Amino acid sequence: MGYSPTVVANNVLMRSFRERRYITPMKLQKILYFVASEYAKRTGHVLLDERFQTWRFGPVSYAVYDEFRPFAKKGIKKFARDASGQALIIDEDSDPDLRDCLDEVWEAAKKMTAVRLSEITHTRDSAWFKAYQENRDTLDHQDIMADRTYRAALRLR
Protein backbone atom coordinates (compact mmCIF):
# COMPACT_ATOMS: atom_id res chain seq x y z
CA MET A 1 0.00 0.00 0.00
CA GLY A 2 1.03 3.61 -0.48
CA TYR A 3 1.95 6.58 1.64
CA SER A 4 -0.36 8.81 3.64
CA PRO A 5 -1.60 11.59 1.32
CA THR A 6 -0.96 14.28 3.94
CA VAL A 7 2.63 13.13 4.38
CA VAL A 8 3.26 13.26 0.61
CA ALA A 9 1.55 16.67 0.62
CA ASN A 10 4.11 17.75 3.24
CA ASN A 11 6.89 16.76 0.83
CA VAL A 12 5.30 19.02 -1.81
CA LEU A 13 4.91 21.80 0.76
CA MET A 14 8.56 21.44 1.76
CA ARG A 15 9.42 22.63 -1.76
CA SER A 16 6.82 25.37 -1.58
CA PHE A 17 8.11 26.71 1.74
CA ARG A 18 11.75 26.51 0.66
CA GLU A 19 10.97 28.79 -2.30
CA ARG A 20 8.45 30.92 -0.38
CA ARG A 21 5.95 30.08 -3.11
CA TYR A 22 2.87 29.38 -1.01
CA ILE A 23 0.31 27.28 -2.87
CA THR A 24 -3.44 26.96 -2.41
CA PRO A 25 -5.11 23.71 -1.39
CA MET A 26 -6.47 23.30 -4.92
CA LYS A 27 -3.01 23.65 -6.44
CA LEU A 28 -1.65 21.17 -3.91
CA GLN A 29 -4.33 18.66 -4.93
CA LYS A 30 -3.43 18.89 -8.62
CA ILE A 31 0.30 18.61 -7.98
CA LEU A 32 -0.36 15.59 -5.76
CA TYR A 33 -2.35 13.95 -8.55
CA PHE A 34 0.37 14.52 -11.15
CA VAL A 35 3.01 13.17 -8.76
CA ALA A 36 0.86 10.09 -8.08
CA SER A 37 0.44 9.46 -11.81
CA GLU A 38 4.13 9.89 -12.56
CA TYR A 39 5.06 7.66 -9.62
CA ALA A 40 2.70 4.91 -10.82
CA LYS A 41 4.22 5.04 -14.30
CA ARG A 42 7.75 4.89 -12.93
CA THR A 43 7.27 2.18 -10.32
CA GLY A 44 4.05 0.36 -11.15
CA HIS A 45 2.90 1.06 -7.57
CA VAL A 46 0.14 3.16 -6.07
CA LEU A 47 1.60 6.25 -4.37
CA LEU A 48 -1.17 7.01 -1.88
CA ASP A 49 -3.03 4.82 0.59
CA GLU A 50 -6.24 6.67 -0.34
CA ARG A 51 -7.99 6.85 -3.70
CA PHE A 52 -8.50 10.14 -5.50
CA GLN A 53 -12.12 11.25 -5.48
CA THR A 54 -13.84 12.60 -8.58
CA TRP A 55 -14.71 16.18 -7.67
CA ARG A 56 -15.93 18.93 -9.95
CA PHE A 57 -12.56 20.68 -10.18
CA GLY A 58 -10.51 17.51 -10.59
CA PRO A 59 -9.01 14.70 -8.54
CA VAL A 60 -9.06 15.22 -4.77
CA SER A 61 -7.48 13.41 -1.86
CA TYR A 62 -10.07 13.83 0.88
CA ALA A 63 -7.46 13.63 3.67
CA VAL A 64 -5.52 16.51 2.09
CA TYR A 65 -8.73 18.46 1.48
CA ASP A 66 -9.78 18.03 5.10
CA GLU A 67 -6.35 18.99 6.47
CA PHE A 68 -5.91 22.16 4.41
CA ARG A 69 -9.54 23.28 4.07
CA PRO A 70 -8.98 26.25 6.45
CA PHE A 71 -6.62 27.82 3.91
CA ALA A 72 -9.37 27.96 1.23
CA LYS A 73 -7.94 30.17 -1.53
CA LYS A 74 -4.96 31.38 0.49
CA GLY A 75 -1.47 30.00 0.36
CA ILE A 76 -0.76 27.13 2.74
CA LYS A 77 1.83 28.11 5.35
CA LYS A 78 1.95 25.06 7.61
CA PHE A 79 2.60 21.37 7.32
CA ALA A 80 -0.04 18.73 7.97
CA ARG A 81 0.34 17.22 11.45
CA ASP A 82 -0.49 13.79 12.75
CA ALA A 83 -2.56 13.05 15.87
CA SER A 84 0.44 13.65 18.12
CA GLY A 85 1.11 17.05 16.54
CA GLN A 86 4.13 15.99 14.48
CA ALA A 87 4.67 17.14 10.91
CA LEU A 88 5.93 14.09 9.04
CA ILE A 89 7.66 13.92 5.68
CA ILE A 90 8.97 11.00 3.66
CA ASP A 91 12.72 10.53 3.59
CA GLU A 92 13.18 11.00 -0.15
CA ASP A 93 16.62 9.36 -0.06
CA SER A 94 14.82 6.13 0.80
CA ASP A 95 12.53 6.52 -2.24
CA PRO A 96 14.43 8.26 -5.05
CA ASP A 97 11.58 7.60 -7.49
CA LEU A 98 9.31 9.69 -5.29
CA ARG A 99 11.94 12.44 -5.00
CA ASP A 100 12.37 12.55 -8.78
CA CYS A 101 8.61 12.66 -9.41
CA LEU A 102 8.15 15.40 -6.81
CA ASP A 103 11.02 17.45 -8.27
CA GLU A 104 9.84 17.10 -11.87
CA VAL A 105 6.20 17.89 -11.19
CA TRP A 106 7.04 20.75 -8.81
CA GLU A 107 9.30 22.40 -11.39
CA ALA A 108 6.68 21.95 -14.11
CA ALA A 109 3.67 23.14 -12.10
CA LYS A 110 4.90 25.67 -9.55
CA LYS A 111 4.35 28.72 -11.77
CA MET A 112 0.94 27.60 -13.06
CA THR A 113 -2.28 28.66 -11.41
CA ALA A 114 -4.54 26.23 -9.61
CA VAL A 115 -7.23 26.90 -12.20
CA ARG A 116 -4.86 26.05 -15.06
CA LEU A 117 -3.79 22.83 -13.33
CA SER A 118 -7.46 21.95 -12.82
CA GLU A 119 -8.11 22.52 -16.53
CA ILE A 120 -5.24 20.17 -17.33
CA THR A 121 -6.77 17.41 -15.17
CA HIS A 122 -10.02 17.84 -17.13
CA THR A 123 -8.41 17.00 -20.47
CA ARG A 124 -10.39 14.53 -22.56
CA ASP A 125 -9.38 10.92 -21.77
CA SER A 126 -7.62 11.85 -18.50
CA ALA A 127 -8.23 9.58 -15.50
CA TRP A 128 -10.47 12.27 -13.98
CA PHE A 129 -12.40 12.73 -17.27
CA LYS A 130 -13.09 8.98 -17.51
CA ALA A 131 -14.29 8.75 -13.91
CA TYR A 132 -16.42 11.89 -14.28
CA GLN A 133 -18.02 10.70 -17.53
CA GLU A 134 -18.80 7.32 -15.96
CA ASN A 135 -20.13 9.00 -12.80
CA ARG A 136 -17.64 7.13 -10.59
CA ASP A 137 -16.85 8.45 -7.12
CA THR A 138 -13.15 7.64 -7.38
CA LEU A 139 -10.49 7.44 -10.07
CA ASP A 140 -9.26 4.04 -11.14
CA HIS A 141 -5.59 3.32 -10.42
CA GLN A 142 -5.05 1.82 -13.88
CA ASP A 143 -6.44 4.99 -15.45
CA ILE A 144 -4.13 7.12 -13.28
CA MET A 145 -1.14 5.02 -14.31
CA ALA A 146 -2.09 5.25 -17.99
CA ASP A 147 -2.91 8.99 -17.90
CA ARG A 148 -0.52 10.90 -20.15
CA THR A 149 -2.94 13.70 -21.01
CA TYR A 150 -1.22 16.25 -18.74
CA ARG A 151 2.38 15.56 -19.77
CA ALA A 152 2.54 17.92 -22.75
CA ALA A 153 0.86 20.78 -20.85
CA LEU A 154 3.36 20.37 -18.01
CA ARG A 155 6.22 19.81 -20.48
CA LEU A 156 7.19 16.55 -18.81
CA ARG A 157 9.43 14.26 -20.84
Side-chain angles (χ1 to χ4, degrees):
M1 206 59 180
Y3 297 112
S4 161
T6 55
V7 176
V8 178
N10 281 348
N11 283 70
V12 173
L13 291 172
M14 184 174 60
R15 287 159 173 78
S16 165
F17 298 165
R18 186 172 37 223
E19 296 182 23
R20 291 185 173 86
R21 184 182 295 275
Y22 303 108
I23 60 176
T24 63
M26 183 173 164
K27 186 168 183 171
L28 176 59
Q29 291 282 356
K30 303 320 156 217
I31 289 172
L32 197 59
Y33 171 75
F34 298 134
V35 169
S37 183
E38 288 298 299
Y39 187 82
K41 285 175 195 45
R42 207 175 279 230
T43 66
H45 295 96
V46 175
L47 176 63
L48 305 178
D49 64 8
E50 171 188 292
R51 294 178 67 140
F52 282 99
Q53 295 183 7
T54 312
W55 286 23
R56 179 176 171 209
F57 293 107
V60 168
S61 158
Y62 188 81
V64 172
Y65 166 79
D66 194 44
E67 179 70 27
F68 295 107
R69 170 182 8 199
F71 289 94
K73 295 181 181 181
K74 299 178 291 210
I76 299 168
K77 294 187 177 174
K78 72 166 189 82
F79 287 114
R81 299 197 176 271
D82 67 8
S84 67
Q86 291 190 308
L88 304 174
I89 61 166
I90 298 160
D91 174 10
E92 295 174 16
D93 289 338
S94 70
D95 191 341
D97 289 319
L98 176 60
R99 179 190 56 230
D100 293 347
C101 291
L102 284 161
D103 286 344
E104 289 170 15
V105 171
W106 174 252
E107 284 304 313
K110 68 183 180 182
K111 293 181 181 174
M112 294 182 171
T113 66
V115 171
R116 177 65 186 128
L117 294 175
S118 178
E119 290 169 351
I120 293 168
T121 65
H122 284 61
T123 302
R124 181 174 200 76
D125 296 327
S126 70
W128 176 88
F129 183 87
K130 290 175 183 178
Y132 192 78
Q133 293 300 308
E134 296 171 11
N135 205 28
R136 287 188 273 128
D137 292 336
T138 60
L139 279 63
D140 180 75
H141 173 66
Q142 294 303 319
D143 289 342
I144 293 170
M145 188 185 310
D147 190 353
R148 292 187 168 352
T149 60
Y150 60 87
R151 299 190 98 230
L154 293 181
R155 295 184 173 91
L156 295 176
R157 49 182 163 81

